[in-house]
């Protein structure tokens, strides 16, 4: 007989589901730290691969460790031709998050060995997933347009190579740096829904490819990682600054959620939204203004006026889409880009879960009936 140790909380709100030292969020102060380092400092001074190393192995790499990690990633960017051939059978109308979830799980067919207690196996799985996820996202983009995927460009760093594989054009260095910072900002965020999925899946001791596939499926939802794509659609629907206030009032009236706002933990503006807003302004300065930015700023002002008292402010998904749009990333790839970054956090939690594993099996509050009779078909 299980003794209930705490009240049922919808969505496990406020209930610790793990002990972790990977990242920390202070929702009242608007603070986010990766392994104790403020995300603002990492955005300014680090790279996505260095941040990935920090998240997964718990400390900043030495120059040699980082060089070795970057080289390993570069050597593993390519994907098996069978996976590319499989992706050619995907319908071009399919959502890129479904394509990513399918191809991430397919990696497990090629790397099926599970040696979860072997640090070398852990490192190899990390390298393969961090290296191959961007290649698979870019491959589906080109294939759904009827073209062949392009091979990774070994002369380009991680961020620049993804933009190249996606557009077949070597990106401007500023665009590549801004994209790399976006990856840092999206890499990790404590026990969010997709990371919780990753930990639950990891706790059954399945392979890391199934862990990532499970997390990708969770991130896809519009209440989670899917919000960035919905924000751009919302800005398009609003269409002009004068429509902002009526739009917000309609949503509040109909109790509809406004995409890109609100957060289970942050009750102030998400610190990542502030950095992304600055990145957007840098990009606009260099590559020309985006009229949706004015609508977004007015929308943020009106939502703060109307909902700020409820702790509802812009979150990470609000400005990211404006940056990605300026980088030439199609709208329905915004969430796969979120996934490319969050693989780092999911793998850090996978490794941490394995170290102290106990399979997740919560209890429930039963609301059903007992002693029901089996009614024969003719009497139903
Ligand atoms: C991410 O968890 C993470 O860390 C996630 C993430 C990460 O890095 O992994 O930060 C990434 O997922 C960011 C969130 C992206 N999602 C969206 O932008 C979708 C819109 N936001 C909401 O769906 C909502 O704010 C959530 C899902 C983010 C949080 O929901 P909660 O904590 O369950 O809050 P709730 O739905 O219970 O709302 C509490 C109140 C309600 O009002 P009342 O019924 O109490 O009067 O706040 C209102 C809600 O109606 N509310 C909103 C709102 N979000 C909450 N009202 C209007 N618009 C919104 N966006």
């Amino acid at each position: 007989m299980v003794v209930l140790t705490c009240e049922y909380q919808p969505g496990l709100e406020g209930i610790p589901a793990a002990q972790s030292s990977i990242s920390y969020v202070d929702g009242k102060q608007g603070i986010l730290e990766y392994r104790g380092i403020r995300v603002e400092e990492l955005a300014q001074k680090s790279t996505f691969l260095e941040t990935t190393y920090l998240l997964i192995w718990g400390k900043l790499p030495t120059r040699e460790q980082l060089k070795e990690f970057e080289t390993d990633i570069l050597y593993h960017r390519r994907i098996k031709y069978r996976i590319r051939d499989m992706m050619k059978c995907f319908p071009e109308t399919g959502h890129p998050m479904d394509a990513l979830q399918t191809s991430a799980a397919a990696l497990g067919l090629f790397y099926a060995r599970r040696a979860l207690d072997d640090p070398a196996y852990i490192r190899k799985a990390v390298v393969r997933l961090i290296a191959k996820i961007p290649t698979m996202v870019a491959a589906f983009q080109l294939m759904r347009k009827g073209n062949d995927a392009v091979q990774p460009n070994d002369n380009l760093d991680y961020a620049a190579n993804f933009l190249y594989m996606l557009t077949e054009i070597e990106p401007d260095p500023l665009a590549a740096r801004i994209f790399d910072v976006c990856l840092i900002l999206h890499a990790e965020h404590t026990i969010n829904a997709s990371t919780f999925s990753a930990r639950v899946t990891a706790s059954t001791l399945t392979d890391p490819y199934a862990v990532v596939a499970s997390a990708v499926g969770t991130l896809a939802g519009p209440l989670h990682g899917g919000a960035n794509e919905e924000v751009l659609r919302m800005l398009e629907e609003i269409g002009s600054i004068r429509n902002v206030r009526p739009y917000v009032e309609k949503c509040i009236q109909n109790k509809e959620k406004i995409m890109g706002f609100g957060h289970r933990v942050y009750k102030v503006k998400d610190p990542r939204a502030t950095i992304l807003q600055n990145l957007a302004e840098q990009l606009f300065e260099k590559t020309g203004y985006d009229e949706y930015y004015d609508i977004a700023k007015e929308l943020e002002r009106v939502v703060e006026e109307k909902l700020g008292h409820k702790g509802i402010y812009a979150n990470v998904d609000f400005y990211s889409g404006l940056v990605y749009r300026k980088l030439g990333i199609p709208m329905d790839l915004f969430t796969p880009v979120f996934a490319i970054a969050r693989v780092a956090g999911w793998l850090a939690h996978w490794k941490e879960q394995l170290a102290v594993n106990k399979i997740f099996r919560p209890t429930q509050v039963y609301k059903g009936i007992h002693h029901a009779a089996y009614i024969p078909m003719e009497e139903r």
Side-chain angles (χ1 to χ4, degrees), residues 10-11 13 25 32 185-195 219 221-228 231 251-252 255-267 270 272 303 307 310 312-313 315-318 338 342 346:
E13 182 162 12
V25 171
L32 170 58
L185 295 173
H186 286 82
E188 158 67 8
H189 207 252
T190 73
I191 196 91
N192 58 85
S194 54
T195 299
L219 186 72
L223 294 189
H224 188 15
N228 53 18
V231 166
C251 288
I252 294 173
K255 283 191 91 56
E256 287 161 12
K257 298 281 175 65
I258 304 166
M259 292 293 116
F261 289 93
H263 199 278
R264 176 63 58 80
V265 182
Y266 290 120
K267 300 310 166 193
D270 186 327
R272 299 167 294 176
V303 171
L307 297 170
K310 292 172 80 170
I312 296 166
Y313 292 87
N315 61 47
V316 66
D317 287 307
F318 187 59
F338 193 151
R342 190 52 60 89
W346 295 332

Side-chain angles (χ1 to χ4, degrees), residues 134 137-138 157-167 179 329 337 340:
V137 170
D157 68 21
Y158 190 86
N161 174 57
F162 172 71
L163 294 174
Y164 162 74
M165 291 191 294
L166 196 67
T167 62
F179 183 67
I329 297 171
V337 164
I340 288 172

Side-chain angles (χ1 to χ4, degrees), residues 7 22 34 36-37 55 123 128 145 182 192 216 225 239 284 297 342:
E7 281 295 298
I22 299 167
Y34 294 171
I37 304 174
L55 288 168
R123 179 187 165 98
R128 283 188 177 126
K145 294 194 305 185
C182 289
N192 58 85
V216 169
F284 299 149
K297 281 199 296 184
R342 190 52 60 89

Side-chain angles (χ1 to χ4, degrees), residues 329-345:
I329 297 171
M331 213 184 302
D332 65 358
L333 284 187
F334 292 175
T335 310
V337 164
F338 193 151
I340 288 172
R342 190 52 60 89
V343 172

